[in-house]
Amino acid sequence: MISTGKKIAQYVFLIIFAVFSIFPLLWMAIAATNQSIDVIRGKMIPGTYLLENYKALTEQSALWQAMGNSFKYAIMMTLLSLIVCSLAGYGFEIYHDKVKDGLMSIILLAMMVPFVATMIPLFGMMAKLGLLNTVRGFVLPSISTPFLIMLFRQSARSFPHDIIEAARMDGLGEFQIFVRMFIPTMRSTYAAAMTITFMNAWNNYLWPKVIMNSKEAQTMPMLVSNLTAGYVTDYGMLMLAVLFCTLPTVIIFFCLQKSFAEGITGAVK
């Protein structure tokens, strides 16, 4: 058993690193309540300018419109990605053969291609299809990702094949097996995939900046970037905007952190 001294040392070590981890979020929340000059000076005491910063933020930018756009794009991308990638990962594992294994290898190789290498062809394609400034133009290039397909395929490997054979003998169709048996069993994997996809969609800056040309379609990362584009930056207002941009992903991660860890490690209940 671990001695009391070692336990104390471990807890002290974990507390120190926990403080380092949450310090940026804490500093951001404090800075959102102070004037710009106080933020520059590094003031670490909450101020009284939260309402003034909020008023300035809503006057200089379409905050709630950008929040609504980010939620709309992120939720739609998350739902479509879960459907498409889980079906693909399930199919690659349950019905695998040499051809599908070769195709999966090609898909995994696509992970090595940086997005900037495909961004210009994607933009040209979306322009020809008339999908600029649309939700479809934002979502379509990202609803199927090699990482999520690989994640669901690895999770499907732990799914008992005997259950599938028994369900087939009982008369269940392939899609019914997927919906009624695979999805409930892989809740933790879906939670992990949902967390990853939502955070990536919410924090995505480059592709929305390219595909969304109108101010009405801007997302939260674009709004935060625009606040730093002037000659003078109001850091109190900027920190409040960053706080608004950060909180949704923080809340989702903390709510799903247990399922996220189980899903990444491939746990099946």
Side-chain angles (χ1 to χ4, degrees):
M1 297 180 64
I2 301 177
S3 64
T4 304
K6 287 185 177 180
K7 277 190 175 182
I8 294 174
Q10 288 179 353
Y11 280 114
V12 170
F13 177 81
L14 292 174
I15 289 172
I16 291 174
F17 275 85
V19 170
F20 276 112
S21 298
I22 67 173
F23 176 77
L25 184 62
L26 178 63
W27 180 82
M28 180 172 56
I30 293 174
T33 66
N34 287 306
Q35 297 184 79
S36 181
I37 187 63
D38 293 327
V39 177
I40 295 173
R41 291 173 177 172
K43 182 180 178 182
M44 287 302 300
I45 301 174
T48 59
Y49 283 82
L50 179 62
L51 293 179
E52 287 79 359
N53 289 334
Y54 175 77
K55 184 178 179 181
L57 178 60
T58 53
E59 288 177 350
Q60 296 185 27
S61 62
L63 171 64
W64 295 112
Q65 184 181 56
M67 286 283 286
N69 288 338
S70 289
F71 272 113
K72 179 173 65 176
Y73 302 152
I75 291 172
M76 184 170 294
M77 182 182 293
T78 301
L79 292 176
L80 291 175
S81 295
L82 291 181
I83 294 171
V84 172
C85 294
S86 62
L87 281 169
Y90 178 83
F92 272 115
E93 178 56 30
I94 302 302
Y95 311 107
H96 74 86
D97 53 34
K98 291 184 178 180
V99 176
K100 291 187 180 67
D101 289 343
L103 180 58
M104 186 66 197
S105 299
I106 295 174
I107 292 175
L108 293 178
L109 286 174
M111 295 177 66
M112 301 174 62
V113 180
F115 177 73
V116 292
T118 60
M119 183 175 62
I120 295 177
L122 276 175
F123 176 80
M125 185 186 304
M126 296 301 162
K128 289 181 180 180
L129 294 174
L131 297 179
L132 299 180
N133 296 313
T134 64
V135 180
R136 288 175 295 171
F138 177 86
V139 170
L140 282 177
S142 304
I143 60 174
S144 178
T145 62
F147 175 77
L148 286 186
I149 293 175
M150 180 185 66
L151 177 65
F152 280 107
R153 188 192 182 196
Q154 292 300 115
S155 296
R157 288 185 174 179
S158 61
F159 187 65
H161 286 230
D162 293 341
I163 295 179
I164 298 177
E165 296 299 330
R168 289 170 179 168
M169 293 178 64
D170 288 339
L172 286 181
E174 299 300 319
F175 187 72
Q176 289 177 309
I177 296 173
F178 175 79
V179 173
R180 296 172 59 180
M181 303 180 68
F182 179 79
I183 292 179
T185 306
M186 299 296 171
R187 289 193 301 269
S188 58
T189 303
Y190 276 91
M194 183 182 74
T195 304
I196 294 170
T197 307
F198 184 89
M199 292 176 69
N200 288 340
W202 183 274
N203 295 324
N204 196 354
Y205 171 76
L206 184 58
W207 179 241
K209 188 69 174 178
V210 171
I211 198 72
M212 303 294 186
N213 299 320
S214 67
K215 186 177 180 180
E216 292 74 18
Q218 73 175 349
T219 61
M220 283 302 297
M222 295 166 63
L223 181 144
V224 171
S225 176
N226 291 337
L227 292 177
T228 63
Y231 292 104
V232 179
T233 301
D234 186 338
Y235 289 100
M237 180 184 67
L238 177 62
M239 289 298 103
L240 182 60
V242 174
L243 187 63
F244 272 108
C245 187
T246 305
L247 282 179
T249 55
V250 171
I251 293 171
I252 287 178
F253 181 79
F254 275 105
C255 290
L256 298 175
Q257 58 179 328
K258 183 178 179 181
S259 298
F260 175 81
E262 293 175 352
I264 292 297
T265 56
V268 178
K269 291 186 177 179

